[in-house]
Amino acid sequence: MILEDRVAIVTGAGQGIGRGIALKLAEKRAHVVVSDINGQTARETATEVRAFGRRALALQADVSNRAQVEKMVQATLQEFGTVDILINNAGIARSATLLKLTDKDWDEVLAVNLKGIFHTTQAVVPHMMAARHGKIVNISSIYGRTGTLGDSNYAASKAGMIGFTKSMARELARYDINVNAILPGMIDTPLLQGIPDHYLQPMIEEIPLGRVGTPEDIGNLAAFLASDEAPYITGAAIEVAGGWRM
Ligand code: NAD
């Protein structure tokens, strides 16, 4: 599986799963636009991409801001002349049970996780349509399928991502653009490291494969879906969760 000289944008690639995906794509020989709201961590991941002998462009962009997303895509085209792969990974959580959930918690999570992929997809797709080729991978969550306690805004945004993925798969198939979603389970990233141990350990015991996942576990599937070896997969929502909450 080779992504020789493909150009990929990965959002939220400064750390965690996004960083893992960016490095896996670079290992498979893609050039990577490392985009993140945090410019410093984006630059750090870009340096790691270059260590694979690939080109990298670090860009600071907030996916909830349409103007910044458009600037990000323009900068990508200026540098590389094309964009073949879009990985919508940027995401946030604002945890609270229903009665404690504020409008702000709701709006922020929906703005980044769901409206963000509307912005990025709309900015990138015209170029993929013109090329009659493209791969879009949306990083949703197992919670988008199962729901969860204390994160209804997050689960709703992640379920929305699955609906958007399937709609885009239908709309864009005739341009040879594949659109899929990955539903990670519990993955070892800074997001997870914020969860108290007494809450985390019992959840790990529920995972049939007996461990949390790694960003590389997600990167492996993202790279496969972005490759020419997955031409007949579109509109799929694939769990990478070690069997957790299947
Ligand atoms: P993380 O918090 O470690 O990393 C998220 C990255 O996104 C950060 O670099 C952050 O700066 C960036 N970001 C945040 N808001 C942004 C914005 N508005 N615009 C651009 N970038 C922004 O999280 P992670 O665990 O690596 O999660 C990555 C994705 O995977 C998220 O969409 C998350 O919901 C999803 N996910 C994670 C897990 C898990 O267990 N870690 C499980 C299921 C789904």
Side-chain angles (χ1 to χ4, degrees), residues 41-102:
T41 57
R43 284 189 288 280
E44 287 166 15
T45 302
T47 302
E48 294 182 278
V49 166
R50 290 186 196 105
F52 285 93
R54 303 286 84 196
R55 290 166 67 197
L57 179 64
L59 294 175
Q60 181 173 8
D62 175 352
V63 294
S64 70
N65 182 311
R66 176 178 288 280
Q68 291 186 25
V69 167
E70 283 169 2
K71 237 174 104 181
M72 168 185 88
V73 174
Q74 282 315 315
T76 301
L77 293 170
Q78 227 163 34
E79 178 76 14
F80 295 105
T82 184
V83 47
D84 305 297
I85 299 164
L86 170 65
I87 311 283
N88 283 312
N89 164 80
I92 58 169
R94 298 279 181 270
S95 308
T97 48
L98 179 69
L99 300 186
K100 291 181 187 148
L101 199 62
T102 64

Side-chain angles (χ1 to χ4, degrees), residues 11-19 35-38 41 61-65 88-93 112-113 139-143 154 158 161 182-192 215:
T11 68
Q15 66 177 41
I17 291 173
R19 171 179 167 272
S35 175
D36 203 286
I37 196 169
N38 182 331
T41 57
D62 175 352
V63 294
S64 70
N65 182 311
N88 283 312
N89 164 80
I92 58 169
V112 175
N113 298 6
I139 308 302
S140 172
S141 165
I142 193 106
Y143 289 160
Y154 180 84
K158 294 298 184 179
M161 287 179 77
I182 298 178
L183 280 53
M186 228 186 293
I187 309 299
D188 191 11
T189 70
L191 191 93
L192 198 77

